[in-house]
Amino acid sequence: MDREEEFLKFVEEVKKCSKCRLYKTRKNVVVGDGPINSLIMLVGEAPGYWEDQQGKPFVGAAGKFLNKLLDLAGLDRGKVYITNVVKCRPPGNREPKPDEIEACKPYLDKQLNLIQPKIVCALGNFATSYLLQKYGFPIQSMGKIHGKIFETKNLKIIPLYHPATALYKPPMKKVLEEDWKTIGLKLKKLNLKEVFK
Ligand code: URA
Ligand code: SF4
């Protein structure tokens, strides 16, 4: 089986998942979106209302702001793979619970293995804790580490504030915009031309 076939099989498997309580209230499983050979992966927290309705990540208000941030970095949304720590919407957009993250994390692990991105942007605290822990880094507060690059052998992890932060804390908009502009410059230096517009 080639990588593409394996990926399609994986997506079909996740769409049928009932490993945690979130399967009962979801409309759609939001597995992820983007080319499977992407050099960059973005990992959010969990689907919200519109994502659950459409089965796609970051299509609601936070997604609109994410589009602006990608623009500021010069990145092409069509060339990055976007997913979440948890693939089904928590009711009322509550935070995902530890046992839900535990049940769902093999899917994110599988996505990382199959896609093998060079860069993962961790959007928000849930993605940041999961990814830093997975690769053996100590957890630190977002205030200290946002926009920094954590290097592993094959992967660079960049923790960032969740785009939705700007929607409920307007002064954070500038922080997010500056971080994404800087990331655009850093990625240009890394010669990742394929991901730019
Ligand atoms: N917030 C997230 O973390 N993920 C989405 O897909 C949408 C909003
Ligand atoms: Fe399965 Fe993850 Fe959905 Fe839970 S959130 S039902 S583990 S896909």
Side-chain angles (χ1 to χ4, degrees):
M1 197 166 24
D2 66 19
R3 202 163 67 124
E4 196 125 353
E5 283 171 339
E6 198 180 341
F7 202 85
L8 290 174
K9 199 176 130 227
F10 159 76
V11 170
E12 290 314 307
E13 177 198 336
V14 187
K15 281 188 184 165
K16 289 184 284 202
C17 180
S18 58
K19 284 199 297 173
C20 83
R21 66 181 77 71
L22 297 180
Y23 94 92
K24 293 184 208 157
T25 46
R26 74 174 181 231
K27 177 169 184 205
N28 284 296
V29 182
V30 181
V31 186
D33 191 30
I36 68 158
N37 58 355
S38 295
L39 297 177
I40 302 195
M41 190 156 140
L42 309 186
V43 182
E45 179 177 316
Y49 176 82
W50 289 107
E51 290 77 22
D52 181 49
Q53 291 295 312
Q54 295 180 28
K56 288 206 165 156
F58 284 101
V59 291
K64 290 226 169 72
F65 186 51
L66 177 63
N67 291 345
K68 184 181 176 199
L69 295 170
L70 287 165
D71 261 353
L72 285 173
L75 294 169
D76 185 338
R77 177 162 172 156
K79 294 178 187 161
V80 303
Y81 189 84
I82 308 180
T83 186
N84 287 298
V85 173
V86 156
K87 315 299 191 205
C88 303
R89 180 192 182 214
N93 296 349
R94 65 157 170 77
E95 292 183 344
K97 295 180 196 273
D99 64 327
E100 293 160 357
I101 295 171
E102 194 60 30
C104 212
K105 73 182 193 191
Y107 298 140
L108 180 56
D109 290 342
K110 179 96 179 183
Q111 285 167 314
L112 287 162
N113 283 335
L114 287 173
I115 296 171
Q116 302 206 338
K118 297 263 183 261
I119 313 278
V120 182
C121 295
L123 311 183
N125 293 325
F126 285 89
T128 298
S129 328
Y130 182 64
L131 290 162
L132 289 186
Q133 257 172 348
K134 176 177 163 82
Y135 292 95
F137 296 101
I139 306 289
Q140 289 169 273
S141 74
M142 189 59 92
K144 284 201 183 132
I145 57 173
H146 64 99
K148 294 211 168 118
I149 299 184
F150 291 77
E151 301 228 19
T152 77
K153 191 159 160 264
N154 301 312
L155 181 70
K156 292 177 171 56
I157 303 165
I158 311 180
L160 292 158
Y161 284 104
H162 193 285
T165 316
L167 306 178
Y168 57 84
K169 271 193 210 153
M172 291 304 294
K173 196 166 166 234
K174 269 228 149 62
V175 177
L176 270 152
E177 289 173 353
E178 288 308 313
D179 275 355
W180 282 83
K181 277 186 213 162
T182 312
I183 285 167
L185 297 174
K186 285 181 181 169
L187 296 183
K188 283 209 171 99
K189 283 195 192 137
L190 291 173
N191 252 339
L192 293 165
K193 291 188 197 73
E194 298 91 329
V195 294
F196 289 102
K197 283 199 169 155

